[in-house]
Amino acid sequence: MATAGIGVNIMDIERVERTLARRPSMARRVFTDDERRYCESRPRPAAHYAARFAARGAVATALGAGPEDGIWMRNVTVERDEDGKNHAVLAGRALELAQKAGVTEIALSLSLTHEVAVANAVAVTEDARPRLEEKRDPVEELRATFRRARTVIDELERIQTNPTKE
């Protein structure tokens, strides 16, 4: 089992804009109410729709899956927290695959240029999560240093009082 997966997806913003103009119902079928509210509140809605569409593909890739594995557009959505940070939210088959793989978090990054939207997703498992070193008690560390120093001093004293003859 892989400890983490990485996915990247790029969407052409103009293509998404043309698709939404031809098929406005697509936004309702693919995106949640919250996603649509957010995208429509932005100066370039198509760019933000493209970023969320790219996020779906990047997350599926990070999970090592896609439509052939039963992951559909509504199985991966993007929510923003109170700080404005994007989060991938999994449901249905995407959630099942993530749980089966031991994925505890999907780190998500969305970026926009004038022409494209890019999404990066990292599926993180406990095995892949960096471990913080245990915090040591400074008093105990000082005691251990003194014990080591005392051992060295004791050994030097033993050698001086009982020199070995060659």
Side-chain angles (χ1 to χ4, degrees):
M1 172 174 81
T3 55
I6 300 171
V8 177
N9 199 359
I10 300 173
M11 289 298 302
D12 179 69
I13 294 169
E14 188 177 311
R15 180 178 174 202
V16 171
E17 193 168 35
R18 285 191 314 265
T19 301
L20 288 170
R22 279 193 320 268
R23 296 186 188 103
S25 64
M26 184 188 108
R28 284 189 305 281
R29 284 193 329 270
V30 174
F31 302 100
T32 66
D33 291 344
D34 286 341
E35 287 176 307
R36 288 195 317 274
R37 262 192 299 280
Y38 174 76
C39 293
E40 293 299 329
S41 74
R42 312 310 299 165
R44 297 175 55 210
H48 296 276
Y49 280 123
R52 277 145 186 77
F53 200 90
R56 285 156 166 74
V59 169
T61 301
L63 293 173
E68 67 278 2
D69 297 297
I71 293 184
W72 304 105
M73 287 294 145
R74 284 284 189 119
N75 288 161
V76 178
T77 59
V78 177
E79 289 184 1
R80 294 171 59 84
D81 65 17
E82 59 277 354
D83 296 326
K85 184 178 177 188
N86 293 308
H87 295 277
V89 178
L90 306 181
R93 184 73 176 134
L95 180 59
E96 289 172 21
L97 290 171
Q99 289 172 336
K100 182 178 177 184
V103 173
T104 57
E105 174 187 359
I106 302 281
L108 183 64
S109 173
L110 305 179
S111 300
L112 299 171
T113 71
H114 185 68
E115 289 125 6
V116 297
V118 179
N120 295 284
V122 177
V124 181
T125 65
E126 281 304 314
D127 293 340
R129 186 175 301 284
R131 301 274 189 255
L132 296 177
E133 282 191 35
E134 248 183 60
K135 288 198 175 206
R136 295 183 141 183
D137 178 5
V139 172
E140 185 52 42
E141 280 198 32
L142 188 58
R143 283 184 186 137
T145 301
F146 281 129
R147 282 192 298 269
R148 286 190 299 274
R150 184 74 245 172
T151 302
V152 169
I153 291 169
D154 289 347
E155 183 62 20
L156 288 171
E157 287 176 351
R158 186 189 66 77
I159 291 172
Q160 286 178 351
T161 58
N162 297 320
T164 58
K165 295 186 182 177
E166 293 183 32

CSV table of all heavy atoms in Angstrom, one decimal, residues 2-24:
chain,number,residue,atom,x,y,z
A,2,ALA,N,0.6,2.2,-0.9
A,2,ALA,CA,1.3,3.4,-0.9
A,2,ALA,C,1.0,4.3,0.3
A,2,ALA,O,-0.1,4.2,0.8
A,2,ALA,CB,1.0,4.2,-2.2
A,3,THR,N,2.0,5.0,0.8
A,3,THR,CA,1.8,5.8,1.9
A,3,THR,C,1.2,7.1,1.6
A,3,THR,O,0.6,7.7,2.5
A,3,THR,CB,3.1,6.0,2.7
A,3,THR,OG1,4.0,6.6,1.9
A,3,THR,CG2,3.6,4.7,3.3
A,4,ALA,N,1.3,7.6,0.4
A,4,ALA,CA,0.7,8.8,0.0
A,4,ALA,C,0.6,8.9,-1.5
A,4,ALA,O,1.4,8.3,-2.2
A,4,ALA,CB,1.5,10.0,0.5
A,5,GLY,N,-0.3,9.6,-2.1
A,5,GLY,CA,-0.5,9.8,-3.5
A,5,GLY,C,-0.5,11.3,-3.8
A,5,GLY,O,-0.9,12.1,-3.0
A,6,ILE,N,0.0,11.6,-5.0
A,6,ILE,CA,0.0,13.0,-5.5
A,6,ILE,C,-0.7,13.1,-6.8
A,6,ILE,O,-0.6,12.3,-7.6
A,6,ILE,CB,1.5,13.5,-5.7
A,6,ILE,CG1,2.3,13.4,-4.3
A,6,ILE,CG2,1.5,14.9,-6.2
A,6,ILE,CD1,3.7,13.6,-4.5
A,7,GLY,N,-1.5,14.1,-6.9
A,7,GLY,CA,-2.3,14.4,-8.1
A,7,GLY,C,-2.2,15.8,-8.5
A,7,GLY,O,-2.2,16.7,-7.7
A,8,VAL,N,-2.0,16.0,-9.8
A,8,VAL,CA,-2.0,17.4,-10.4
A,8,VAL,C,-3.0,17.4,-11.6
A,8,VAL,O,-3.0,16.4,-12.4
A,8,VAL,CB,-0.6,17.7,-10.9
A,8,VAL,CG1,-0.6,19.1,-11.6
A,8,VAL,CG2,0.4,17.7,-9.8
A,9,ASN,N,-3.7,18.5,-11.7
A,9,ASN,CA,-4.6,18.6,-12.9
A,9,ASN,C,-4.7,20.1,-13.3
A,9,ASN,O,-4.6,21.0,-12.5
A,9,ASN,CB,-6.0,18.1,-12.5
A,9,ASN,CG,-6.9,17.8,-13.7
A,9,ASN,OD1,-6.5,17.9,-14.8
A,9,ASN,ND2,-8.1,17.4,-13.4
A,10,ILE,N,-4.7,20.3,-14.6
A,10,ILE,CA,-4.8,21.6,-15.2
A,10,ILE,C,-6.0,21.7,-16.1
A,10,ILE,O,-6.3,20.8,-16.8
A,10,ILE,CB,-3.5,21.9,-16.1
A,10,ILE,CG1,-2.2,21.7,-15.2
A,10,ILE,CG2,-3.6,23.2,-16.7
A,10,ILE,CD1,-0.9,21.8,-16.0
A,11,MET,N,-6.7,22.8,-15.9
A,11,MET,CA,-7.9,23.1,-16.7
A,11,MET,C,-7.8,24.4,-17.4
A,11,MET,O,-7.3,25.4,-16.9
A,11,MET,CB,-9.2,23.2,-15.8
A,11,MET,CG,-9.6,21.9,-15.2
A,11,MET,SD,-10.1,20.6,-16.4
A,11,MET,CE,-11.4,21.4,-17.3
A,12,ASP,N,-8.2,24.4,-18.7
A,12,ASP,CA,-8.2,25.6,-19.5
A,12,ASP,C,-9.4,26.4,-19.1
A,12,ASP,O,-10.6,26.0,-19.2
A,12,ASP,CB,-8.2,25.2,-21.0
A,12,ASP,CG,-8.3,26.4,-21.9
A,12,ASP,OD1,-7.3,27.2,-21.9
A,12,ASP,OD2,-9.3,26.7,-22.5
A,13,ILE,N,-9.2,27.6,-18.6
A,13,ILE,CA,-10.3,28.5,-18.1
A,13,ILE,C,-11.3,28.8,-19.2
A,13,ILE,O,-12.5,28.8,-19.1
A,13,ILE,CB,-9.8,29.7,-17.4
A,13,ILE,CG1,-9.0,29.3,-16.1
A,13,ILE,CG2,-10.9,30.7,-17.1
A,13,ILE,CD1,-8.2,30.4,-15.5
A,14,GLU,N,-10.8,29.2,-20.4
A,14,GLU,CA,-11.6,29.5,-21.5
A,14,GLU,C,-12.6,28.4,-21.9
A,14,GLU,O,-13.7,28.6,-22.2
A,14,GLU,CB,-10.8,30.0,-22.7
A,14,GLU,CG,-11.6,30.6,-23.8
A,14,GLU,CD,-10.7,31.1,-25.0
A,14,GLU,OE1,-9.8,31.8,-24.7
A,14,GLU,OE2,-11.0,30.7,-26.1
A,15,ARG,N,-12.0,27.2,-21.9
A,15,ARG,CA,-12.8,26.0,-22.2
A,15,ARG,C,-14.0,25.8,-21.2
A,15,ARG,O,-15.1,25.6,-21.6
A,15,ARG,CB,-12.0,24.8,-22.2
A,15,ARG,CG,-12.7,23.5,-22.6
A,15,ARG,CD,-11.8,22.3,-22.6
A,15,ARG,NE,-12.5,21.1,-22.8
A,15,ARG,CZ,-12.1,19.9,-22.5
A,15,ARG,NH1,-10.9,19.8,-22.0
A,15,ARG,NH2,-12.8,18.9,-22.7
A,16,VAL,N,-13.7,26.0,-19.9
A,16,VAL,CA,-14.7,25.9,-18.9
A,16,VAL,C,-15.8,27.0,-19.1
A,16,VAL,O,-17.0,26.8,-19.0
A,16,VAL,CB,-14.1,26.0,-17.5
A,16,VAL,CG1,-15.2,26.1,-16.4
A,16,VAL,CG2,-13.3,24.7,-17.3
A,17,GLU,N,-15.3,28.2,-19.4
A,17,GLU,CA,-16.2,29.4,-19.7
A,17,GLU,C,-17.1,29.1,-20.9
A,17,GLU,O,-18.4,29.3,-20.8
A,17,GLU,CB,-15.4,30.6,-20.0
A,17,GLU,CG,-16.2,31.9,-19.9
A,17,GLU,CD,-15.2,33.1,-19.9
A,17,GLU,OE1,-14.1,33.0,-20.6
A,17,GLU,OE2,-15.6,34.1,-19.3
A,18,ARG,N,-16.6,28.5,-22.0
A,18,ARG,CA,-17.4,28.2,-23.1
A,18,ARG,C,-18.4,27.1,-22.8
A,18,ARG,O,-19.6,27.2,-23.2
A,18,ARG,CB,-16.6,27.7,-24.3
A,18,ARG,CG,-15.8,28.8,-25.0
A,18,ARG,CD,-15.2,28.4,-26.3
A,18,ARG,NE,-14.5,27.1,-26.2
A,18,ARG,CZ,-13.2,27.0,-26.0
A,18,ARG,NH1,-12.4,28.0,-25.9
A,18,ARG,NH2,-12.6,25.8,-25.9
A,19,THR,N,-18.0,26.1,-22.0
A,19,THR,CA,-18.9,25.0,-21.6
A,19,THR,C,-20.0,25.5,-20.8
A,19,THR,O,-21.2,25.1,-21.0
A,19,THR,CB,-18.1,23.9,-20.9
A,19,THR,OG1,-17.1,23.4,-21.8
A,19,THR,CG2,-19.0,22.7,-20.5
A,20,LEU,N,-19.7,26.3,-19.8
A,20,LEU,CA,-20.8,26.9,-18.9
A,20,LEU,C,-21.7,27.8,-19.7
A,20,LEU,O,-22.9,27.8,-19.4
A,20,LEU,CB,-20.1,27.7,-17.8
A,20,LEU,CG,-19.4,26.8,-16.7
A,20,LEU,CD1,-18.7,27.7,-15.8
A,20,LEU,CD2,-20.4,25.9,-16.0
A,21,ALA,N,-21.2,28.5,-20.7
A,21,ALA,CA,-22.1,29.3,-21.5
A,21,ALA,C,-23.1,28.5,-22.4
A,21,ALA,O,-24.2,28.8,-22.5
A,21,ALA,CB,-21.3,30.2,-22.4
A,22,ARG,N,-22.6,27.4,-22.9
A,22,ARG,CA,-23.4,26.5,-23.7
A,22,ARG,C,-24.3,25.6,-22.9
A,22,ARG,O,-25.5,25.3,-23.3
A,22,ARG,CB,-22.5,25.5,-24.5
A,22,ARG,CG,-22.0,26.1,-25.8
A,22,ARG,CD,-21.4,25.0,-26.7
A,22,ARG,NE,-20.6,24.0,-26.1
A,22,ARG,CZ,-19.3,24.0,-25.8
A,22,ARG,NH1,-18.6,25.0,-26.2
A,22,ARG,NH2,-18.7,22.9,-25.2
A,23,ARG,N,-23.9,25.2,-21.7
A,23,ARG,CA,-24.6,24.3,-20.8
A,23,ARG,C,-24.6,24.9,-19.4
A,23,ARG,O,-24.0,24.4,-18.5
A,23,ARG,CB,-24.0,22.9,-20.8
A,23,ARG,CG,-24.1,22.3,-22.1
A,23,ARG,CD,-23.6,20.8,-22.0
A,23,ARG,NE,-23.5,20.2,-23.3
A,23,ARG,CZ,-22.4,20.0,-24.0
A,23,ARG,NH1,-21.2,20.4,-23.4
A,23,ARG,NH2,-22.3,19.5,-25.1
A,24,PRO,N,-25.4,25.9,-19.1
A,24,PRO,CA,-25.4,26.5,-17.8
A,24,PRO,C,-25.9,25.5,-16.7
A,24,PRO,O,-25.5,25.6,-15.5
A,24,PRO,CB,-26.5,27.6,-17.8
A,24,PRO,CG,-26.7,27.9,-19.3
A,24,PRO,CD,-26.3,26.6,-20.0
